């Protein structure tokens, strides 16, 4: 009970691991602080002025003691460091392939002073996020103005949301409930109001919520999946003129996602979300070798939201149907050798 008040609720797979490390560090710190304080007090009393204690032959050096207090803490700290580093890497690396397989991708745009979240199936939310319990959730996040930070204490998840660059974060919610969402980076006068709630739901309830959210918003575009919205933008923004099937000197975008691109300045880069974003906003900086540099820059002409939709559409052009019934590891190996 005490602990429940001391720490927020544990509602993700990371939470118990982080809490264990944290409490272990607190316990070790307390143990040594109290132990050392106790010895200090003992010596103060024993050798206080006027007390008849043996003060002859003071010792200045004790090799065994010094070795002990060097080696023991090292042996204690190295495993803690190892453990910590492993958890840190696991949290901040993108999802591993097998988990990514059934992960739910949520796209997050932070702006003064709200969180804008979108589900791949098109549902949009402001300052609220509905997710199913037990399924890995991957957030792809960007800020439209200044630095923000996506913080859900119950999940022990906090990640900066940066203008001009995607950051990602993943977690697996383990407990149905309603949890606080905060912005943890001071972002202007109404920073403290920039927050809301994450609703973790049973998978059936989530499906039902998705259905309701699709039709209930009175906004026809919310009925559109992100991929469909991206496809519509692809036409509206005239990308089709150069990249569409009917373009005369066509630059195909099919199959490029995740592949290595050779740029005209000799650089080789992997076509990930970040690459696609830069290619759209500032093609001059990401010019692909072997083409005329005729693509106009779209910086200032598209919203972050729309770029995410375009990227989802371009990704869909590269999605190959997964071989049915193949274990995840095998399928990813097969892909790697292509
Ligand atoms: C006037 C023609 C034209 C238009 C319009 C255009 N592009 Fe391009 N695009 C190109 C050309 C040419 C290249 C290759 C040279 C380069 O990278 O600048 C290219 C490159 C790209 C690349 C990198 C491709 C690769 O092989 O790595 C992406 C992604 C891309 N465009 C997306 C878009 C999107 C999205 C739009 C619409 C918002 C768009 N383009 C509009 C001509 C165009
Ligand atoms: Cu903020």
């Amino acid at each position: 009970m005490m602990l429940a008040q001391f720490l927020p609720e544990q509602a993700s797979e990371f939470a118990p691991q982080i809490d264990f490390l944290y409490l272990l560090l607190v316990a070790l710190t307390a143990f040594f602080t109290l132990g050392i304080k106790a010895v200090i007090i003992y010596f103060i009393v024993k050798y206080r002025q006027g007390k008849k204690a043996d003060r002859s032959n003071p010792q200045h050096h004790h090799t065994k003691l010094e070795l002990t207090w060097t080696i023991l803490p090292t042996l204690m700290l190295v495993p803690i460091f190892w453990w910590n580093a492993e958890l840190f890497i696991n949290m901040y690396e993108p999802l591993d392939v097998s988990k990514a397989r059934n992960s739910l991708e949520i796209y997050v745009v932070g702006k003064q002073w709200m969180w804008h979240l979108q589900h791949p199936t098109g549902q949009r939310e402001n300052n609220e996020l509905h997710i199913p319990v037990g399924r890995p959730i991957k957030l792809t996040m960007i800020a439209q103005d200044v630095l923000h930070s996506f913080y859900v204490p119950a999940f022990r998840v906090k990640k900066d949301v940066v203008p001009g660059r995607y950051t990602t974060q993943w977690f697996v919610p383990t407990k149905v409930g309603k949890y606080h969402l905060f912005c943890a980076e001071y972002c202007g006068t109404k920073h403290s109001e920039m927050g809301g709630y994450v609703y973790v739901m049973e998978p059936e309830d989530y499906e039902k919520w998705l259905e309701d959210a699709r039709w209930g918003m009175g906004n026809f575009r919310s009925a559109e999946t992100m991929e469909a919205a991206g496809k519509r933008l692809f036409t509206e923004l005239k990308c089709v003129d150069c990249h569409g099937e009917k373009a005369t000197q066509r630059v195909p975008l099919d199959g490029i996602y995740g592949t290595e691109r050779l740029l005209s300045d000799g650089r080789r880069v992997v076509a990930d979300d970040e690459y696609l974003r830069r290619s759209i906003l500032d093609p001059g900086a990401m010019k692909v070798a072997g083409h005329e540099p005729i693509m106009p820059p779209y910086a200032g002409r598209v919203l972050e939201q729309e770029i995410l939709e375009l990227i989802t559409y371009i990704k869909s052009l590269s999605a190959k149907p997964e071989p049915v019934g193949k274990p995840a590891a095998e399928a990813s190996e097969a892909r790697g050798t292509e």
Side-chain angles (χ1 to χ4, degrees), residues 20-326:
F20 182 78
L21 267 173
Y22 180 69
L23 292 173
L24 179 69
L25 287 175
V26 170
L28 278 174
T29 311
F31 175 78
F32 282 106
T33 307
L34 295 176
I36 291 168
K37 286 279 162 357
V39 174
I40 291 176
I41 291 169
Y42 171 76
F43 283 144
I44 288 176
V45 174
K46 184 167 180 201
Y47 292 104
R48 71 182 188 280
Q49 205 175 18
K51 189 91 196 284
K52 276 205 204 79
D54 179 12
R55 292 187 176 81
S56 63
N57 191 21
Q59 256 203 336
H60 293 293
H61 196 78
H62 195 301
T63 311
K64 264 192 200 150
L65 191 63
E66 283 176 24
L67 281 177
T68 314
W69 75 44
T70 308
I71 293 171
L72 260 185
T74 309
L75 287 181
M76 273 164 46
L77 290 180
V78 167
I80 293 177
F81 168 77
W82 188 268
W83 205 339
N84 230 320
E86 205 179 10
L87 179 58
F88 182 86
I89 290 167
N90 186 19
M91 285 185 79
Y92 289 97
E93 273 295 288
L95 283 171
D96 67 59
V97 180
S98 53
K99 274 193 169 156
R101 201 44 58 89
N102 74 343
S103 72
L104 175 63
E105 279 206 55
I106 303 283
Y107 297 88
V108 182
V109 177
K111 52 187 167 199
Q112 285 168 324
W113 286 278
M114 62 185 274
W115 294 106
H116 187 92
L117 302 113
Q118 187 162 20
H119 298 249
T121 36
Q123 291 79 353
R124 298 175 183 201
E125 307 190 65
N126 289 333
N127 294 333
E128 284 194 346
L129 173 62
H130 291 76
I131 45 175
V133 69
R135 190 163 159 200
I137 308 291
K138 181 184 171 200
L139 307 173
T140 301
M141 311 188 282
I142 195 159
Q144 201 161 294
D145 35 46
V146 298
L147 272 182
H148 302 279
S149 185
F150 191 93
Y151 180 33
V152 184
F155 299 160
R156 309 292 188 273
V157 151
K158 176 159 74 177
K159 183 83 175 220
D160 277 4
V161 178
V162 183
R165 208 184 95 193
Y166 292 123
T167 50
T168 58
Q169 171 74 58
W170 75 278
F171 57 87
V172 182
T174 50
K175 210 161 140 194
V176 170
K178 177 182 175 187
Y179 307 103
H180 259 300
L181 158 67
F182 296 106
C183 174
E185 186 76 60
Y186 180 68
C187 57
T189 47
K190 290 189 187 158
H191 159 70
S192 60
E193 289 170 29
M194 184 166 168
Y197 289 96
V198 179
Y199 296 84
V200 178
M201 314 170 87
E202 293 294 349
E204 313 85 76
D205 295 339
Y206 174 68
E207 289 305 321
K208 198 170 158 294
W209 178 85
L210 278 181
E211 257 328 285
D212 292 349
R214 169 163 308 208
W215 304 113
M217 282 170 151
N219 173 359
F220 86 96
R221 282 174 65 177
S222 67
E224 221 179 6
T225 63
M226 286 188 73
E227 190 183 316
K231 190 170 181 188
R232 173 174 51 74
L233 287 166
F234 207 68
T235 308
E236 283 175 13
L237 294 167
K238 309 258 186 295
C239 317
V240 276
D241 292 359
C242 305
H243 296 295
E245 309 251 289
K246 297 199 193 76
T248 37
Q249 282 188 320
R250 180 175 187 234
V251 181
L253 299 181
D254 319 55
I256 66 163
Y257 188 74
T259 64
E260 199 182 66
R261 320 301 300 154
L262 175 62
L263 303 187
S264 55
D265 57 10
R267 270 185 302 158
R268 285 174 188 278
V269 289
V270 173
D272 54 8
D273 294 2
E274 193 66 45
Y275 168 82
L276 294 181
R277 182 175 182 279
R278 301 243 352 241
S279 292
I280 295 168
L281 294 180
D282 185 11
M286 284 284 157
K287 215 154 72 242
V288 181
H291 295 287
E292 289 294 313
I294 51 165
M295 176 163 163
Y298 282 85
R301 292 173 57 192
V302 279
L303 301 173
E304 290 299 345
Q305 185 66 38
E306 296 174 325
I307 301 171
L308 285 168
E309 288 164 347
L310 282 168
I311 290 176
T312 312
Y313 172 63
I314 296 172
K315 272 187 193 171
S316 78
L317 297 175
S318 299
K320 294 189 205 96
E322 288 299 336
V324 183
K326 245 189 178 178

